[in-house]
């Protein structure tokens, strides 16, 4: 009967606490819900004959009586003692004081609050994406030049000056289609004291346009139609020689190639470029000066000819380090009756932002020209230069 009374007293104490205002919590009840602990004051209160605390706080008496009942009947449920708790840290002494929540009331807002900007735009601006990438570079340099005696455009080894300009406009819609366009222009002059016929002669002369339209087939592969057109600005001459070896549109080459294009790109992005393989290629060659036609593989009295064959074009740039860059271009065309191979190599040494030094190496093979006694159909051109450079 005494057990029932104790449990009833604890229940009444809890009910009285629940009846308190909702903003007040009595921290004394934590001992009933925390892991069961043996508290010294509970035993002291039960064993004491006269206790000043008994009867003054019915809630505390009911909690102590419930704990004492557990100590006597279910000691196996007791996990720790008050001594162990004191060794780990201090026990709060203010648990017998009610904890009041501090509630701050604010002015009630009627309806939802919408944060709107002061100026609401009345029109919508739609910007069309730009799929074009444009860039270019140019230089004006002085150079030391070497040309083999059988170079197909003429020329002479000497000190000279050369200028170059390269413009690119590339289209990529990020949806399999791309269109690359590259225009290269070079023109250089030299003056030789030993030449009594010509005051100035060109030693570097090129106009070349490369255009490729590609449809992506795989990650780095494209089905490609390539158009390659090139000629020169002015006459090609030799020292103390009245003959003209080349001229504007003498020759002019227009090449169409259908095949695959592979995009070269290293992980560190220092090596990049393209390799184009066209098993089906058509080369149209035009020579305006009839006297030069046989020198470029044409029959006498004919201005033009058409060849069918295959071609390979590679255009690669390798940034070896922060100072040296190697740009290489390989062009090979064969009609299975004649073969033409060009391999241009430019090593650029960046001295400063606007000054650089170049080394240009250009071996060439063409079996349509006159065979040289020493080099055969092989031709070679080289020059080194230093001067101003600018990229944009």
């Amino acid at each position: 009967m005494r057990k029932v009374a104790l449990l009833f007293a604890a229940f009444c104490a809890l009910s009285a606490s629940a009846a308190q205002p909702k903003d007040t919590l009595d921290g004394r009840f934590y001992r009933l819900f925390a892991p069961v602990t043996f508290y010294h004051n509970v035993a002291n209160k039960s064993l004491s004959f006269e206790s000043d605390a008994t009867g003054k706080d019915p809630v505390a008496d009911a909690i102590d009586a419930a704990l004492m009942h557990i100590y006597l009947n279910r000691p196996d449920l007791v996990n720790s003692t008050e001594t162990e708790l004191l060794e780990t840290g201090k026990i709060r002494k203010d648990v017998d004081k009610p904890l009041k929540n501090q509630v701050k009331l604010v002015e009630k807002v009627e309806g939802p609050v919408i944060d709107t900007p002061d100026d609401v735009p009345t029109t919508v601006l739609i910007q069309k994406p730009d799929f074009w990438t444009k860039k270019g570079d140019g230089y004006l340099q002085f150079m030391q030049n070497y040309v083999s005696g059988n170079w197909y455009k003429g020329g002479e080894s000497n000190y000279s000056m050369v200028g170059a300009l390269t413009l690119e406009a590339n289209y990529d819609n990020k949806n399999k289609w791309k269109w690359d366009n590259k225009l290269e222009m070079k023109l250089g002059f030299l003056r030789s004291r030993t030449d009594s016929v010509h005051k100035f002669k060109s030693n570097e002369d090129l106009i070349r346009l490369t255009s490729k339209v590609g449809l992506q087939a795989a990650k780095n592969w494209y089905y490609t139609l390539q158009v390659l057109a090139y000629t020169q600005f002015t006459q090609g001459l030799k020292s103390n020689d009245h003959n003209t070896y080349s001229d504007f549109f003498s020759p002019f080459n227009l090449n169409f190639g259908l095949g695959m294009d592979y995009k070269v790109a290293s992980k560190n992005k220092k090596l990049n470029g393209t390799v184009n393989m066209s098993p089906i290629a058509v080369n149209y060659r035009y020579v305006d000066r009839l006297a030069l036609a046989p020198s470029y593989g044409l029959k006498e009295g004919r201005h033009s000819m058409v060849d069918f064959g295959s071609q390979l074009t590679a255009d690669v740039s390798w940034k070896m380090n922060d100072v040296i860059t190697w740009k290489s271009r390989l062009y090979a065309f064969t009609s299975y009756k004649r073969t033409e191979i060009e391999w241009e190599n430019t090593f650029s040494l960046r001295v400063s932002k606007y000054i650089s030094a170049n080394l240009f190496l250009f071996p060439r093979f063409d079996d349509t020209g006159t065979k040289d006694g020493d080099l055969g159909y092989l031709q070679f051109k080289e020059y080194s230069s230093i001067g101003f450079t600018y990229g944009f």
Side-chain angles (χ1 to χ4, degrees), residues 265-272 317 319:
S266 61
K267 292 183 178 180
N268 57 9
K269 297 182 179 180
K270 290 187 176 182
L271 178 65
N272 57 78
S317 177
K319 188 175 182 180

Side-chain angles (χ1 to χ4, degrees), residues 21-244:
K22 292 184 179 181
D23 61 343
T24 303
L25 298 176
D26 196 337
R28 293 174 293 175
F29 293 105
Y30 84 95
R31 295 191 296 175
L32 294 177
F33 302 100
V36 182
T37 303
F38 180 78
Y39 295 100
H40 300 158
N41 66 318
V42 176
N44 292 337
K45 184 186 293 186
S46 301
L47 298 175
S48 176
F49 293 100
E50 295 181 359
S51 176
D52 296 337
T54 306
K56 294 182 179 181
D57 190 345
V59 175
D61 293 341
I63 294 173
D64 293 342
L67 291 174
M68 191 64 187
H69 175 75
I70 297 175
Y71 297 162
L72 296 175
N73 294 278
R74 294 296 304 273
D76 57 299
L77 298 178
V78 182
N79 295 324
S80 60
T81 65
E82 186 176 353
T83 303
E84 294 175 350
L85 292 179
L86 292 174
E87 291 177 355
T88 58
K90 295 183 179 179
I91 301 177
R92 292 183 60 177
K93 301 298 184 180
D94 58 346
V95 294
D96 56 339
K97 298 179 182 180
L99 302 177
K100 295 183 179 181
N101 295 329
Q102 301 294 328
V103 180
K104 295 182 180 181
L105 299 178
V106 298
E107 183 180 356
K108 186 178 180 181
V109 179
E110 299 293 340
V113 178
I114 301 176
D115 187 9
T116 58
D118 296 335
D119 298 328
V120 180
T122 57
T123 59
V124 178
L125 178 62
I126 300 176
Q127 185 175 2
K128 185 179 179 180
D130 187 7
F131 298 119
W132 286 94
T133 301
K134 304 177 183 68
K135 62 180 180 178
D137 62 80
Y139 61 82
L140 178 63
Q141 297 186 336
F142 299 92
M143 66 182 181
Q144 170 271 327
N145 182 46
Y146 170 77
V147 181
S148 62
N150 67 330
W151 184 250
Y152 77 115
K153 288 186 180 180
E156 180 184 4
S157 301
N158 211 312
Y159 295 98
S160 56
M161 181 178 67
V162 62
L165 179 64
T166 302
L167 302 175
E168 294 187 45
N170 302 322
Y171 175 87
D172 187 355
N173 67 352
K174 310 299 181 182
N175 191 21
K176 295 187 176 182
W177 283 100
K178 72 170 186 175
W179 181 21
D180 297 339
N181 300 277
K182 185 177 182 181
L183 176 62
E184 301 169 88
M185 294 177 287
K186 293 182 181 179
L187 183 60
F189 291 98
L190 64 85
R191 183 176 182 179
S192 176
R193 296 179 180 179
T194 60
D195 187 2
S196 59
V197 177
H198 309 290
K199 188 175 182 180
F200 292 98
K201 300 183 300 292
S202 64
N203 63 337
E204 184 68 22
D205 198 350
L206 175 67
I207 306 173
R208 182 168 59 208
L209 173 65
T210 305
S211 182
K212 292 186 294 184
V213 178
L215 174 63
Q216 189 174 24
K219 182 178 180 181
N220 292 328
W221 288 93
Y222 291 82
Y223 301 109
T224 306
L225 173 63
Q226 177 177 266
V227 179
L228 178 62
Y230 57 96
T231 184
Q232 62 189 64
F233 286 99
T234 185
Q235 297 178 1
L237 307 171
K238 290 185 178 182
S239 295
N240 299 311
D241 191 343
H242 292 278
N243 294 325
T244 299

